[in-house]
Amino acid sequence: MIEEKRALFILFGATGDLAQRKLYPSLFRLYQKGELQEHFAVIGTARRPWSDEHFREVVTEAIASLEPSTKEAQAFASHFYYQAHDVGDAEHYVTLKNLAEKLDSQYQLAGNRLYYLAMAPQFFGTITKHLASEEIVSKNGFNRLVIEKPFGFDYDSAAELNQKIRAVFPEEDIFRIDHYLGKEMVQNISTVRFANPLFERMWSRQYIDNVQITFAEELGVEDRGGYYENSGALKDMVQNHLLQVLSLLAMEPPLNFTAENIRNEKVKVLSAVRLYSPQEVAKNFVRGQYGAGRLGEETFRSYREEDKVAPESNTETFVAGKFLIDNLRWADVPFYVRTGKRLTEKGTRINITFKDLPVDIFKGIESKGQPNVLTIYIQPTEGFSLTMNAKEIGPEYRARPIKLDYRNSAELTVNSPEAYEKLIFDALNGDSTNFTHWDEVAQSWRIVDVIKKAWENETCAKFPNYAARSMGPAAAFELLAREGRHWVWQPEHWYEERDLL
Ligand code: BG6
């Protein structure tokens, strides 16, 4: 039987895009499943002077695609309250406290409070300070802080931010969201690695030649130019999502699957990622920015022409690079990564290429096949494939690669909980396994900071250097080619063959 959760959600940034696209629908799905029933309430705050009625209309609109009945939508929305709020004004926190106490007793919430900060990180410190000084943090029940990225803009700013929030909340009550950790197939990485003796035994430098992680986006920067100009692909994707996935792929097996043991292993492997010198950055990392491009009949404008982007912008919209992990398991195994906007196709996938045989006994025979590759498809399709070699049917001896392919069924995928729903559910349960601990954030910033610094000191790259809807600049291909390798996933070929690119 599902046990209903009791909690008051205090949401800062309630009028924002994230709240409407992700949070309200996720709360509604938890409500439909009975995880939230009668004993929950949401206080939405933001600067705009909305009424409760208007807020409820917005919430109802946000869940419309989930097709609730009118009665169900109304019952759900009736738990939502709005307060116009200036985060720097102490008076507003007094009003907030009174409302929180009223709702706590009205809905019998047992003092459980979840503070969700869906807003720019420069406000995190001010908000948490006031939550303590105005005594909104309750004395009974739990008090958990859920925060969105970006967590700082480099190590120093992240450490300062961390100090401020830790002055109020202990680490175990801080839930730093990395929505990739809520994705089904990211959670599946550990299962594939540790539930299959076949892979568990082969997961090391002895058998693996290289690992490739691609986070390709088809979309451009959309209406987020203002944010993105100050971020760029390195901080937007590599510092968080990509290094998180890398740590799950490379960590040692934890003693068991408790949040603490998993986190310890992730921190250890992140600490083993080599911190590059500026010369090593120049050799191992490539940045790019998209120019105008086309795919078929469709044309795309350049990044510099996007809204709220400087016409001479030097912000990177693409990063490719090679990470090295200096430990016994991974020494010398390249972890190639790439991520970018306006690439050929949306696709998040991991390719693990196993080493070739030490001796070629098929010498002289036309084809000996290709190295084995395990692919983990994270999105948009979810599944795995394994390429292996088999004899081609016929009288002659000829090997050819075949592919064992498994995908989660579309029906299951559509009905499986969305990343945000899982993460909110975990935060309600106090389970921090799929959130990032400060030690992971700190180490990820150290890794990324040296790359960023090297780029800042280097005479600027010649931007734009890749066409919209291509797979990035030529240098990203040379990075692997000079080591005798290539990107396993090359979606551009399909389009090139049809003259669409
Ligand atoms: C966000 C980045 O964290 O992740 C965005 O800020 C990016 O720039 C997004 O588009 C990608 O997420 P997903 O789930 O669509 O792969």
Side-chain angles (χ1 to χ4, degrees), residues 149 179-180 183 217 224 227-228 236-237 240-241 341 346 348 379:
K149 69 158 214 175
H179 77 283
Y180 267 64
K183 289 186 193 279
E217 294 192 78
R224 293 167 74 227
Y227 152 78
Y228 201 83
D236 188 47
M237 298 294 281
N240 37 62
H241 311 319
K341 296 220 179 263
K346 169 131 182 132
T348 306
Q379 57 182 17

Side-chain angles (χ1 to χ4, degrees), residues 100-382:
E101 279 172 5
K102 180 175 153 255
L103 296 177
D104 196 295
S105 85
Q106 183 179 332
Y107 290 94
Q108 298 160 35
L109 303 176
N112 292 337
R113 293 189 184 165
L114 206 140
Y115 312 92
Y116 199 122
L117 311 193
M119 55 195 313
Q122 64 261 35
F123 301 119
F124 292 178
T126 315
I127 297 173
T128 48
K129 190 176 95 202
H130 283 292
L131 290 177
S133 62
E134 309 319 320
E135 295 179 346
I136 296 176
V137 171
S138 67
K139 303 230 164 21
N140 51 342
F142 63 67
N143 285 279
R144 296 183 187 139
L145 182 72
V146 182
I147 45 186
E148 284 286 340
K149 69 158 214 175
F151 197 80
F153 49 88
D154 58 11
Y155 173 78
D156 290 340
S157 60
E160 195 186 317
L161 183 59
N162 197 50
Q163 215 175 14
K164 287 185 182 153
I165 61 174
R166 285 284 293 275
V168 179
F169 292 89
E171 179 66 31
E172 64 267 25
D173 288 334
I174 303 173
F175 294 76
R176 297 179 193 81
I177 291 220
D178 183 315
H179 77 283
Y180 267 64
L181 297 181
K183 289 186 193 279
E184 192 57 42
M185 292 305 292
V186 171
Q187 298 186 351
N188 218 324
I189 292 173
S190 297
T191 318
V192 169
R193 283 192 59 188
F194 303 124
N196 296 296
L198 177 69
F199 294 127
E200 196 278 321
R201 290 190 190 144
M202 296 189 77
W203 214 260
S204 72
R205 66 192 302 274
Q206 220 182 331
Y207 298 106
I208 291 180
D209 178 80
N210 75 91
V211 176
Q212 300 181 11
I213 309 175
T214 301
F215 285 12
E217 294 192 78
E218 187 183 306
L219 293 177
V221 75
E222 308 272 272
D223 53 3
R224 293 167 74 227
Y227 152 78
Y228 201 83
E229 273 286 87
N230 292 315
S231 168
L234 187 69
K235 295 189 205 171
D236 188 47
M237 298 294 281
V238 179
Q239 187 273 336
N240 37 62
H241 311 319
L242 217 145
L243 282 171
Q244 280 295 317
V245 167
L246 181 140
S247 69
L248 288 168
L249 282 168
M251 70 180 185
E252 293 299 312
L255 274 182
N256 55 32
F257 263 71
T258 57
E260 194 189 348
N261 281 329
I262 296 176
R263 181 223 314 147
N264 286 344
E265 296 308 336
K266 284 165 76 188
V267 171
K268 270 194 244 163
V269 77
L270 287 170
S271 309
V273 171
R274 189 178 303 175
L275 297 182
Y276 285 142
S277 67
Q279 293 73 23
E280 286 173 317
V281 171
K283 191 167 149 235
N284 294 320
F285 268 80
V286 167
R287 55 185 156 156
Q289 186 193 77
Y290 63 85
R294 72 151 193 131
L295 189 106
E297 302 286 285
E298 230 181 318
T299 56
F300 301 91
R301 60 181 174 176
S302 69
Y303 175 69
R304 289 177 175 182
E305 290 164 306
E306 304 277 17
D307 291 344
K308 303 205 192 101
V309 169
E312 310 267 280
S313 171
N314 282 321
T315 299
E316 81 285 354
T317 59
F318 177 95
V319 181
K322 173 170 97 170
F323 283 118
L324 288 168
I325 301 176
D326 293 324
N327 64 15
L328 286 176
R329 185 184 288 267
W330 295 116
D332 299 330
V333 177
F335 279 71
Y336 297 111
V337 301
R338 60 178 168 168
T339 180
K341 296 220 179 263
R342 274 280 184 257
L343 300 187
T344 309
E345 225 178 82
K346 169 131 182 132
T348 306
R349 58 178 74 182
I350 299 158
N351 303 105
I352 292 145
T353 303
F354 290 88
K355 283 191 171 157
D356 234 339
L357 293 161
V359 176
D360 182 6
I361 63 160
F362 296 103
K363 226 178 245 151
I365 296 174
E366 200 179 320
S367 155
K368 70 177 179 80
Q370 288 175 6
N372 298 130
V373 178
L374 171 70
T375 300
I376 305 177
Y377 301 88
I378 293 174
Q379 57 182 17
T381 60
E382 298 181 349

